[in-house]
Amino acid sequence: MRFERREHRPTALVIATPLIAVAAALGIAGILIALAGAPVLEAYWKILVGAFGSKLSITETLTRATPLILTGLAAAVAFRARLWNIGGEGQFYLGAIATAAVGAHLTAGLPGFVQMPILMASGAVAGMILLLLPLWLRLRFSVDEVVTTLLLNFVAILFVSMLIDTVLKDPMAFGWPQSEAVERAARLPKLVDRSRLHIGLLVAVAFAFIVHFIQSRTTFGMRSRAAGLNPKGAVFAGVPLGRTLVLVAMLSGGLAGLAGSIEVLGVKGYVTTDLSPGYGYSGIVVAMLANLHPIGVVLAALFTAVMFVGADGMSRSLGIPTYIADVTVALSLISMLVAVFFTQYRVRR
Amino acid sequence: MNTIVDILASAGLWAAVLRIATPLILGTLGALLSERSGVLNLGIEGIMTFGAMVGWLAVFNGADLWTGLLVAALGGAVFGALHAVLTVTLGLSQHVSGLGVTLFASSFAYYVFRLMVPVSGSPPTIEPFQPIDIPGLSDLPFIGPAFFTQTAPTYLAIALAILLAYILAKTPLGLAVRMAGENPHAAEAQGVNPMVMRYGAVIVGSALMGVGGAFLTLSAFNSFFPTMVQGRGWICIALVVFASWRPERALFGALLFAFFDGFQLRLQTALDGAVPYQIFLMIPYILSIAALAVMARRARVPQALMQPYRRGER
C-alpha cells in the first residue's frame, strides 16, 4: 500500500472534508459516551438542546464563539505563513490586561465611543508585542517559535496574575484577585437584552471578512501564503521573508490580543486568571478545522462553542464528565488532519 | 547572602534537585529519542498527563507501583503509536499532529479520571514509592541524604539516561535511529528501514514520557489532579535543544534546571513574600527561553527533523 499525490482535488471533497472529520470525531466520542454507560443519541440530543434549546443558550453559544473566532483567525493567519504561533493564550491574556490597565488609568472619563477603539487597539498591540519577541528570536537566533510561544503563555499568565495581585488589584474586590475594571461607558453594548451576547461577535465576524480580503486580494496576503508554501522558493522569487513574517506576527498576535480585549469589554469588564478556558489553545483547533480559511473559522468556532456549551448541559443531565467536549474537539482536530491528507493523496495498492 | 549559603548547604535542596529532575530527565530522553529519529513529538505534555493519570489509576485499583509505571509506559506508547501513524505513515505536519495528541491525551485523561473516580472533597490517594537508602552510600554525611535516599524511579531515570547515551552513540541500533533522523534516504540505501526506526523511536520515547508523568503521581505526589504536569512537557522540549540532542547533556540540563527550580522554591520561602511569588514561578520558563536562545544556533539539529519520509519522493 502506498500513497500517491492527487493531480487535482475535487471541490466537493474539499468542502465535505470538515464534515467528515467532525462526524468521525463525534463517532469516536459516542463510543466513549457509551462506555460511560449513557445513551449516545440522547447525549448528542442533549448537546444540541444545551447549545440551542433556548434564547439564553443560543446567546451563550454565540458569546462563547466570539473569542474563538478571533483566536482561530490568529492561529490561521500565522499557520498559513508557517509561523507556528502556539502562544494565543498568552497573547489573549496580555491583550485583556492591557485593556483593563489602559481603561482604568488612561482613558477613564472619556466618552465611551472614544474609549472603545483605544482599548481594543491597546489589547491588540499587547498581543502583537508578545508574538514579536519569539519571532525576533527565530529570525535572529533561529530558535523554533513553537516552544518559545508556548512557554510565553505561562509567563504571560503569571505576569497577569502578578499585576492583579499588586499594582492593578481592584481595591473594591474584597481581596479577591481581579483587576480594576474599565468604565461602564467603555463596555461593548449588548446585542440581546438580558444576555451576555455583545457586539464583539459582529466585530469578530467582520475581522474574518477583513482577513479573507487581505489574504486573497493583497500583495501581503500573497506573500504570506508563499512564505508558508515554500520559504526558500519565496525568497528566491523576491518575497521579503523577514518583513512578511513580522507583518504576519503583528496580525496574528494582534487578533489574539484583540480577543482578550473584547472578552474584557464585552463580558466581565475586568480581568481574572480564569478569563479564558483555553481560548488560545482552542483557537488552534478552530483554525485547523477551518483548514486555515478565515470564513471557515467562523463556522469552526461555532462548532467548538456548541460542543463546549452543549456538553455542559449534557453533563448535568446525564452525568457524563464535561471533559467529553474537550475530547471531541481534540479528536476533530486529529480526524481533520487525516481527512485533509486524503484530499491530497489517494491510496494505491 | 547568608540565606543563599544556607540554602545551598542544605542536603534537602540537593535531594529535591534529583526529585524535581526525574520527570524532566524521563520526558527529555523520550523527546530526544524521538527527535533523533526525525520526529518532533509535541504530544509530550498530554502524554505525560495521561501517564500520570493511568499509572495512578492502576495503583489505585490495586496494582503494585511497578505495574503502575508499566501501565503508564504502555499508555504513553499507545499515544506514541498514534503520533507515529500521523507523522510517519501519513507524513502530516509534526507540529500540528503533536498538538492534537497533547489536546487529546490530556482531555482523555481528565475524562477517564472523572469517570473512574467520583468527585469528593479530598482527592483519593495511594501509597507512593518510598525513598531507598543505598547501603553504605546513604550513610555518608551530607552526600548520603542528598543523593542516595531517592525513590527507585529516580535511580531508574539516571540509569536510562546513561543507557540511552550508550545505545545511541555505540550500537548499530543507535546508528540506525540516527540515520533515520539525519538522512532517511541514505539509511534506506544502507538497508535500514527509516519508517521502522521512526515508529520505534516515537513509541519508545512516548513510553518514557508516560513514565515521566507517572513519577509525579506515583512518587512525587500520591494523587492525580488535572494540570499537574504544569508545562513540564514543554520544558522537556526546550531541554532537548539545550542538550544538543545528546542524552548525557540532557541529564545535565535536567539537573541544572531542577537546581534552579529547587533553589527558587527555597529562596521564595526564605524571602517570605518580599518579592511576588509569580516572579519565581516565571523563572523556569524564562530560563528555558534563554537556554534556547543561547543554544539554538550552536546545537546540531538532526538534519531530517520534521521532514516526512516517503519512498521515492524527495
Side-chain angles (χ1 to χ4, degrees):
Chain A
M1 188 186 82
R2 52 193 237 99
F3 301 113
E4 189 180 78
R5 204 171 256 282
R6 284 179 195 267
E7 298 290 310
H8 66 277
R9 298 173 208 168
T11 318
L13 187 61
V14 172
I15 294 171
T17 308
L19 300 175
I20 296 169
V22 165
L26 286 172
I28 302 172
I31 298 173
L32 296 175
I33 291 171
L35 287 177
V40 178
L41 288 178
E42 196 186 335
Y44 287 152
W45 178 246
K46 295 274 187 205
I47 289 178
L48 283 179
V49 171
F52 295 116
S54 67
K55 189 179 131 191
L56 180 72
S57 54
I58 294 172
T59 58
E60 200 52 38
T61 303
L62 293 173
T63 310
R64 271 283 191 119
T66 302
L68 287 172
I69 295 172
L70 290 166
T71 54
L73 287 172
V77 293
F79 284 16
R80 204 166 226 227
R82 251 194 251 177
L83 175 72
W84 299 105
N85 175 18
I86 320 294
E89 189 77 359
Q91 291 144 22
F92 178 98
Y93 271 105
L94 221 53
I97 199 70
T99 297
V102 172
H105 289 280
L106 290 178
T107 61
L110 295 173
F113 66 90
V114 178
Q115 287 202 40
M116 271 177 237
I118 297 177
L119 295 184
M120 287 193 231
S122 22
V125 169
M128 280 177 204
I129 292 171
L130 192 62
L131 185 52
L132 284 174
L133 172 72
L135 180 65
W136 178 73
L137 288 172
R138 165 170 159 182
L139 295 175
R140 180 86 175 70
F141 300 99
S142 45
V143 183
D144 186 19
E145 72 276 12
V146 174
V147 191
T148 45
T149 50
L150 246 166
L151 293 171
L152 281 174
N153 286 341
F154 296 96
V155 177
I157 293 169
L158 286 165
F159 179 65
V160 167
S161 158
M162 185 175 82
L163 291 183
I164 64 182
D165 256 0
T166 54
V167 287
L168 288 178
K169 190 184 178 89
D170 183 359
M172 311 297 276
F174 306 102
W176 212 249
Q178 68 183 46
S179 79
E180 289 168 89
V182 294
E183 291 181 324
R184 286 244 160 251
R187 310 269 177 92
L188 296 175
K190 296 281 180 236
L191 269 181
V192 177
D193 276 345
R194 285 189 304 267
S195 80
R196 302 202 308 160
L197 187 61
H198 52 87
I199 62 160
L201 176 69
L202 304 182
V203 179
V205 172
F207 266 99
F209 283 96
I210 294 170
V211 169
H212 180 57
F213 176 81
I214 292 176
Q215 285 188 335
S216 57
R217 296 293 162 80
T218 65
T219 322
F220 159 68
M222 196 207 70
R223 283 175 171 170
S224 73
R225 201 177 151 77
L229 288 173
N230 183 351
K232 283 189 188 124
V235 173
F236 188 69
V239 172
L241 193 62
R243 209 188 320 155
T244 305
L245 285 179
V246 168
L247 286 175
V248 169
M250 287 173 69
L251 186 57
S252 174
L255 285 164
L258 183 66
S261 180
I262 285 183
E263 192 69 2
V264 169
L265 295 175
V267 178
K268 268 185 171 170
Y270 56 88
V271 182
T272 55
T273 47
D274 60 0
L275 184 70
S276 158
Y279 286 133
Y281 301 108
S282 308
I284 294 164
V285 185
V286 166
M288 294 311 297
L289 269 180
N291 214 355
L292 309 187
H293 192 287
I295 309 298
V297 161
V298 177
L299 298 174
L302 204 58
F303 163 74
T304 310
V306 165
M307 281 314 299
F308 283 127
V309 175
D312 274 347
M314 194 253 312
S315 169
R316 271 193 302 275
S317 57
L318 295 180
I320 302 289
T322 46
Y323 290 117
I324 193 69
D326 300 83
V327 174
T328 313
V329 168
L331 280 170
S332 320
L333 168 62
I334 293 173
S335 50
M336 182 68 186
L337 286 175
V338 176
V340 168
F341 173 82
F342 283 108
T343 65
Q344 293 167 345
Y345 287 85
R346 68 170 95 229
V347 184
R348 267 290 150 84
R349 254 185 284 270
Chain B
M1 208 46 216
N2 267 336
T3 42
I4 293 177
V5 174
D6 284 348
I7 293 171
L8 290 179
S10 78
L13 168 71
W14 298 98
V17 166
L18 281 178
R19 195 165 57 237
I20 297 168
T22 304
L24 298 177
I25 295 170
L26 290 163
T28 308
L29 291 178
L32 185 149
L33 175 61
S34 175
E35 289 186 32
R36 260 313 188 50
S37 81
V39 182
L40 177 72
N41 188 355
L42 294 182
I44 180 167
E45 181 82 6
I47 292 173
M48 286 179 91
T49 306
F50 189 77
M53 189 285 296
V54 82
W56 181 89
L57 200 60
V59 175
F60 184 66
N61 283 305
D64 66 85
L65 289 162
W66 288 101
T67 312
L69 282 188
L70 191 66
V71 168
L74 286 175
V78 169
F79 282 101
L82 172 65
H83 186 60
V85 169
L86 296 173
T87 58
V88 180
T89 302
L90 300 184
L92 300 174
S93 156
Q94 297 182 359
H95 283 137
V96 185
S97 167
L99 291 171
V101 170
T102 277
L103 290 174
F104 179 39
S106 51
S107 52
F108 187 59
Y110 304 154
Y111 178 73
V112 172
F113 181 72
R114 271 281 157 273
L115 268 188
M116 307 294 278
V117 183
V119 187
S120 64
S122 58
T125 57
I126 52 146
E127 196 59 45
F129 277 105
Q130 297 303 316
I132 300 172
D133 292 343
I134 304 272
L137 293 174
S138 63
D139 297 330
L140 294 172
F142 188 77
I143 310 264
F147 300 110
F148 296 106
T149 51
Q150 298 289 333
T151 59
T154 298
Y155 300 123
L156 176 73
I158 294 168
L160 281 172
I162 297 165
L163 180 69
L164 188 64
Y166 173 78
I167 291 177
L168 275 177
K170 306 279 181 195
T171 66
L173 178 65
L175 179 65
V177 170
R178 284 188 283 133
M179 280 173 81
E182 294 291 339
N183 190 340
H185 297 283
E188 182 94 67
Q190 294 284 318
V192 170
N193 187 337
M195 311 288 255
V196 171
M197 289 303 135
R198 287 185 170 188
Y199 258 88
V202 174
I203 291 174
V204 173
S206 302
L208 288 173
M209 296 170 185
V211 175
F215 174 83
L216 296 173
T217 43
L218 299 184
S219 187
F221 306 98
N222 55 6
S223 60
F224 175 81
F225 46 93
T227 73
M228 75 182 303
V229 176
Q230 272 197 318
R232 284 185 179 87
W234 309 123
I235 286 170
C236 291
I237 297 284
L239 278 173
V240 174
V241 181
F242 178 79
S244 291
W245 287 268
R246 293 179 47 181
E248 67 281 8
R249 292 194 197 167
L251 181 60
F252 170 73
L255 287 169
L256 184 70
F257 199 89
F259 164 75
F260 282 115
D261 207 21
F263 183 71
Q264 64 90 4
L265 271 174
R266 283 164 176 74
L267 193 63
Q268 195 180 328
T269 323
L271 292 178
D272 194 27
V275 178
Y277 72 93
Q278 290 96 342
I279 297 270
F280 293 102
L281 295 181
M282 280 182 209
I283 291 174
Y285 305 110
I286 293 173
L287 265 181
S288 296
I289 294 170
L292 282 173
V294 173
M295 297 303 292
R297 269 207 294 205
R298 273 194 284 159
R300 268 268 301 131
V301 191
Q303 289 301 300
L305 182 62
M306 289 190 272
Q307 289 170 11
Y309 175 71
R310 292 195 180 94
R311 250 172 224 136
E313 202 181 284
R314 290 200 175 220

